[in-house]
Amino acid sequence: MLDARGRAAPPAPPCPGTPMGAEAFAGAKGGVGAGADVGGIGVGVTAEGWAGPDAEASLNAGKDANGVWHFGPEVGISPALGGAVGFEFTVDPGKVVDTVGDAAGAVGDAASWVGGGIGSLF
């Protein structure tokens, strides 16, 4: 991607919350990202390589329309060559509650199975 831009206003957040940041860039960018979500808890990372002068810092925190909480800082600098790294942590309270309920049900089923097995010995 080739890009030349400057921005004085805070970046638009992925969700309503508290966006803070600043950026100025002229050059080319390329990036990768990865993430995982288990039981309603999500973690993601991003990395970008930059060719051209740039500086960026942002922090997005808040709850989206689906009730998922997001926290994501990103920082980068490039005098000529450089890059940025970012992190996102998410919590989906609905999925967390479902996961805890499923886990409690599994523990109860296992206890019944063990109890039934021991009871059949006597």
Side-chain angles (χ1 to χ4, degrees):
M1 162 175 85
L2 292 178
D3 196 1
R5 61 191 149 127
R7 179 172 48 211
C15 56
T18 309
M20 295 177 278
E23 178 182 13
F25 181 71
K29 288 185 177 184
V32 296
D37 181 314
V38 177
I41 306 294
V43 178
V45 295
T46 60
E48 291 182 339
W50 299 343
D54 194 3
E56 177 180 280
S58 66
L59 172 63
N60 289 310
K63 185 167 70 168
D64 69 15
N66 296 320
V68 177
W69 288 90
H70 297 262
F71 174 76
E74 183 177 39
V75 65
I77 191 164
S78 172
L81 293 176
V85 292
F87 172 79
E88 183 177 39
F89 178 74
T90 61
V91 176
D92 183 338
K95 283 186 180 179
V96 171
V97 168
D98 290 345
T99 300
V100 170
D102 292 346
V107 169
D109 291 345
S112 294
W113 181 76
V114 170
I118 292 173
S120 68
L121 295 175
F122 299 103

